[in-house]
Amino acid sequence: MSRSDDTFARKAIAGACAGGALLCLVLLAMQAFGSIPPPEPGSARFLYGSFFWPSGSYSVVPSSTSGLMILMAPATAVWGFSVHVRCSDSRIRHCLKGVALLVGLWMLDVIIKYRHPINNPQLTAFLWYLFYVPMTLIPLLCLLCALRASALDNKPWAPLLRRAAWATSIAIIALVLTNSFHLQVFSFDISRPDWQEVYVYNWGYWFAVAVYVAEYLGFFVLLFAASRRRLHGVIALLVMAAVPFGAYGLMYALRHEFAIKTNFSLNYSLVVVVLLELALDFGLLPSCPLPSSTSRCGWRGQGRATGSRGLGPRPSRTRSSRSMG
């Protein structure tokens, strides 16, 4: 190993360790704080931040989950860097880094909406609509990762599935972002002071939820169908971890009192990142421990994602060495 490769490997290990430490801090903080309700609009101004808020502006009290969201953004950035180092397939690597970017932007949007003084109800509604950009693209990227990792992306129906999934996601995002003009996703009277609490879900919302559920189901089904038998138990464990969160998401969609008092954005992001990290760690998605050992992981970023530690047939030695050279 050359000195430059050794230095890069050390930086990669340090970055991965830092990411793991940050995620552990988040989990410990959640354990310490417990389930804290999200900030409520219209409450008193936060004293320590009053210097930064213009007088007479709308403001809210940041809840204790604001600190967790601030931690979550850099933690996912470090995780995205570790994915760049470890993931041995370029397409899956880009999808996972896209998930990391979307989570960071989502946390930023939530913090701005609840902590920044906003007097304009239309702007407040638009910041709320922006939540559904990462909420729509993250399950799509997960589905594309599974399609690639299962080595099914070269099937005749795969391009059609990708185009249909992208078109559907773009349509959902456009429908949500323009909701104020047609109210087909959320119905509310923005002139009311309590419009953020009194609104109704319309057909557009339930259509989006159905697409999200279908994409996550496709993620697990594709991995299960294409993985080796020894990894079926691992996928079953991931499903068992995802099912309770699915029930929590359904409770949130149905406006259950317990669910709506929690920070859904933070919980959603944390669960998705943890599940994807477990998929990488267990070999459901192609990964290798170090950049210098990509020869043990198949070929990096070319062809099918068959270089993982458990999915699909492994590439031949000739093809692997050609791609590495």
Side-chain angles (χ1 to χ4, degrees):
M1 181 186 300
S2 65
R3 178 173 299 180
S4 60
D5 289 339
D6 182 66
T7 301
F8 183 79
R10 290 176 183 274
K11 290 181 179 179
I13 294 174
C17 292
L22 284 174
L23 287 176
C24 288
L25 287 176
V26 171
L27 294 174
L28 290 174
M30 291 185 68
Q31 180 69 25
F33 291 133
S35 179
I36 306 296
E40 299 179 357
S43 55
R45 181 175 300 171
F46 186 52
L47 295 179
Y48 294 106
S50 59
F51 176 79
F52 300 98
W53 307 142
S55 59
S57 297
Y58 167 81
S59 185
V60 295
V61 176
S63 69
S64 57
T65 55
S66 297
L68 300 179
M69 288 187 291
I70 293 173
L71 281 176
M72 188 67 181
T76 52
V78 174
W79 178 73
F81 172 77
S82 72
V83 166
H84 176 77
V85 172
R86 293 179 295 145
C87 186
S88 57
D89 181 83
S90 61
R91 294 186 184 178
I92 295 178
R93 188 163 65 246
H94 293 330
C95 289
L96 294 179
K97 289 193 294 184
V99 171
L101 176 62
L102 289 168
V103 168
L105 294 176
W106 192 358
M107 296 299 99
L108 178 63
D109 184 28
V110 175
I111 291 172
I112 291 176
K113 180 180 183 295
Y114 285 111
R115 294 191 61 174
H116 190 77
I118 300 175
N119 281 326
N120 191 335
Q122 285 77 18
L123 179 56
T124 302
F126 186 73
L127 290 173
W128 174 34
Y129 299 156
L130 286 177
F131 291 3
Y132 287 83
V133 175
M135 201 180 299
T136 302
L137 294 180
I138 287 175
L140 170 63
L141 294 177
C142 291
L143 177 64
L144 296 180
C145 285
L147 184 65
R148 177 72 171 173
S150 61
L152 297 175
D153 59 324
N154 62 340
K155 299 295 183 180
W157 48 265
L160 178 61
L161 175 62
R162 285 196 298 267
R163 287 194 292 266
W166 275 109
T168 303
S169 297
I170 292 173
I172 290 174
I173 291 173
L175 188 67
V176 174
L177 294 182
T178 59
N179 180 74
S180 296
F181 299 100
H182 49 71
L183 300 179
Q184 296 302 305
V185 183
F186 311 104
S187 181
F188 54 85
D189 183 2
I190 204 168
S191 62
R192 295 182 53 170
D194 60 344
W195 67 270
Q196 295 189 68
E197 288 78 35
V198 183
Y199 59 90
V200 177
Y201 295 135
N202 286 333
W203 69 269
Y205 176 83
W206 297 114
F207 173 72
V209 170
V211 171
Y212 304 159
V213 172
E215 288 174 338
Y216 280 125
L217 286 177
F219 172 78
F220 288 109
V221 169
L222 286 174
L223 290 183
F224 185 85
S227 64
R228 299 175 182 178
R229 181 173 299 179
R230 66 184 180 86
L231 290 178
H232 287 178
V234 175
I235 299 176
L237 290 176
L238 295 184
V239 172
M240 291 175 61
V243 165
F245 184 77
Y248 162 70
L250 180 61
M251 292 171 61
Y252 190 88
L254 296 176
R255 311 286 296 279
H256 190 276
E257 182 179 0
F258 165 77
I260 62 176
K261 288 183 177 180
T262 61
N263 192 328
F264 179 79
S265 300
L266 176 64
N267 296 335
Y268 182 101
S269 301
L270 183 62
V271 169
V272 168
V273 170
V274 169
L275 289 179
L276 289 176
E277 173 59 30
L278 290 175
L280 272 172
D281 188 60
F282 284 114
L284 296 174
L285 298 177
S287 62
C288 51
L290 290 174
S292 59
S293 55
T294 52
S295 59
R296 292 182 294 169
C297 303
W299 25 290
R300 189 179 183 90
Q302 300 182 17
R304 292 183 297 177
T306 53
S308 67
R309 291 170 286 178
L311 286 179
R314 294 184 180 273
S316 63
R317 179 174 300 177
T318 302
R319 189 176 185 183
S320 176
S321 60
R322 184 185 302 121
S323 64
M324 292 300 293

